[in-house]
Amino acid sequence: MTLPHTVAEALAPLLGDRLHTAQAVRDHHASTATYIASQSPDLVAYPKSTDEVSQILKICHAHDFPVIAFGAGSSLEGQINAPNGGISLDMSEMAEVLEVCDEDLLVVVQPGITRKRLNEELRATGLTFPIDPGADASIGGMASTRASGTNAVRYGTMADNILSMECVLADGEIIRTGTRAKKSSAGYDLTHLMIGAEGTLGIITELTLKLRGIPDKVIGGMAQFDTIEDACNAVILAIQCGLDVARIELLDAGQIAACNDYSKLDLKVCPTLFFEFSGHEAGTDEMNEMFREIATDCGATEYKYAQNADERNVLWTARHNAYWAALAQHPGKKGLSTDACVPISRLADCIEASNNDLIESGLAGTILGHVGDGNFHVILCFDPENADDVEKVEGYLGRMSMRAIEMGGTCTGEHGIGQGKQKYLRQEVGGAVDVMKAVKIALDPKNILNPGKIFPVGNT
């Protein structure tokens, strides 16, 4: 690999003061939102256009210099780390809405725009981009990790909501995947190849997204249960009965206690479902009433709902702050948010087993998740400097991942593989890992695009 100062000299005429070498800036671009140790890049660049990204990659390709795309820094498996050094491409200056096409229900954006700002700009159109991973992530980062979140039970993941992308390949070539059409049979599906690739196959510089209409009516509320199993059974029955749930989230008793303290709530401390129905007025009321009956039959001890936006927002803000609420219960410790996803029929079994494992391991942790699609999270709080703590955490992560895989699920429903879950990938997909590696080598033979993610460093 060429020395960083040589690459910096080559990039300086192109980027000027948008190329940084200061340690503080470099460290910021490797500050992971998990326990994985930070690995800073040598350089940080702020491109303003696809052409600039192309030119940067041509220079880096010529010098075998690693390139790591950076969105909002909210990824959870070390995706923004730079184990081999290199340059971090901060996409925050490529954050514009390029076009809104109301008639076709689509929008064209640059990758650096965050989901909240995108929806703010769409508000006047009556349209919305519904994917909500919780964090105010960048759209490019959400595509790169195939993110989903609280609305996935109705709207799916990022993979279901991207029509096409513009990407820059490792050698600087610019390609476009897909069109504005809702479907296509034209060749390989390169759009979905890039979605979830974690920046290892190309740098996303433009996305064409599907939009949805803002619903006429929204009902949100909560149902509380004595056991996690009862809560999970209510979710399973609701999905099997075909209720069009907008989002439905499970928080265990420990997470409710943490949210009470952090968000100044006074909820009963027990397993709780937060839910939301939206659509036309009559249909929304009917779904809410049906779910009330289902929850009651499954043992709900309390069922409350509200149509007032402020009341709903209090609950959902508490849900989105769950990570920080759990962490606040254990001052001085670090937090790790991990996830798994299983078929809905195995959801109760997997969560119960994961909860029992948590108790038996003596670890501090809470369980929550987007249970409408079988996806749940465990937030672990521990001391990364304590070898015993680390050993317990690594053991728990391994058992949780293998448990999900053995139940026909996945070790990660939405966080991605990154650095943190590489050891479980082959267990999940078997020989398909070798096919993935072949694709990586074909598109990035020098392994400069986000090396050390999905596959170990030096192992493409």
Side-chain angles (χ1 to χ4, degrees), residues 30-158:
S31 180
T32 63
T34 182
Y35 83 112
I36 298 172
S38 296
Q39 297 166 307
S40 301
D42 300 300
L43 309 170
V44 176
Y46 292 80
K48 288 187 173 181
S49 67
T50 299
D51 183 63
E52 282 193 349
V53 172
S54 174
Q55 292 184 63
I56 291 169
L57 281 169
K58 287 177 181 177
I59 291 170
C60 291
H61 189 263
H63 291 285
D64 295 353
F65 201 67
V67 180
I68 303 97
F70 182 94
S74 57
S75 57
L76 292 167
E77 293 293 347
Q79 282 94 345
I80 61 173
N81 263 343
N84 292 354
I87 185 168
S88 176
L89 293 191
D90 187 316
M91 310 302 282
S92 59
E93 295 200 22
M94 293 180 64
E96 297 301 316
V97 173
L98 301 177
E99 181 184 357
V100 178
C101 186
D102 299 33
E103 297 90 344
D104 290 325
L105 297 177
L106 64 82
V107 62
V108 183
V109 302
Q110 292 181 308
I113 193 167
T114 63
R115 65 171 186 88
K116 287 183 179 179
R117 193 184 134 213
L118 171 58
N119 280 321
E120 286 170 2
E121 298 208 15
L122 290 171
R123 189 173 297 156
T125 68
L127 300 172
T128 185
F129 183 67
I131 305 305
D132 177 7
D136 191 20
S138 71
I139 297 297
M142 289 166 62
S144 292
T145 53
R146 204 182 300 124
S148 49
T150 58
N151 286 325
V153 63
R154 170 180 281 185
Y155 298 110
T157 73
M158 287 297 287

Side-chain angles (χ1 to χ4, degrees), residues 43 118 126 160 185 199 218-219 330 335 385 390:
L43 309 170
L118 171 58
D160 303 302
S185 297
V218 178
I219 294 177
H330 305 279
E385 303 300 321
V390 173

Side-chain angles (χ1 to χ4, degrees), residues 413-430:
E414 59 185 14
H415 291 179
I417 294 295
Q419 293 175 309
K421 291 198 170 177
Q422 293 175 2
K423 66 179 73 173
Y424 314 118
L425 184 59
R426 188 173 290 276
Q427 296 290 333
E428 181 172 323
V429 304

Side-chain angles (χ1 to χ4, degrees), residues 177-213:
T177 72
T179 68
R180 295 187 175 198
K182 296 295 184 182
K183 61 181 182 179
S184 171
S185 297
Y188 295 145
D189 189 345
L190 297 182
T191 301
H192 285 87
L193 180 64
M194 291 293 177
I195 298 170
E198 301 184 20
T200 63
L201 301 179
I203 305 297
I204 299 168
T205 55
E206 184 184 293
L207 306 96
T208 301
L209 309 172
K210 297 178 184 177
L211 299 179
R212 312 299 172 103

Side-chain angles (χ1 to χ4, degrees), residues 311-392:
E311 292 179 27
R312 296 196 315 271
N313 288 338
V314 168
L315 288 180
W316 288 108
T317 298
R319 164 61 185 92
H320 285 326
N321 288 337
Y323 174 83
W324 303 110
L327 200 56
Q329 297 288 97
H330 305 279
K333 293 194 174 184
K334 289 277 283 183
L336 182 156
S337 177
T338 190
D339 80 318
C341 189
V342 295
I344 193 76
S345 63
R346 301 305 306 273
L347 177 62
D349 294 337
C350 198
I351 290 183
E352 279 290 339
S354 298
N355 185 55
N356 291 336
D357 192 357
L358 194 62
I359 295 169
E360 292 169 7
S361 300
L363 288 166
T366 59
I367 293 179
L368 65 158
H370 323 308
V371 289
D373 53 10
N375 188 196
F376 69 97
H377 304 263
V378 178
I379 300 174
L380 300 171
C381 298
F382 69 106
D383 179 2
E385 303 300 321
N386 183 308
D388 185 53
D389 265 16
V390 173
E391 183 179 359
K392 288 181 180 179

Side-chain angles (χ1 to χ4, degrees), residues 1 12 25 90 123 141 158 168 197 272 322 335 339 348 394 434:
M1 185 180 76
V25 177
D90 187 316
R123 189 173 297 156
M158 287 297 287
V168 181
T272 301
D339 80 318
E394 290 179 346
D434 299 319

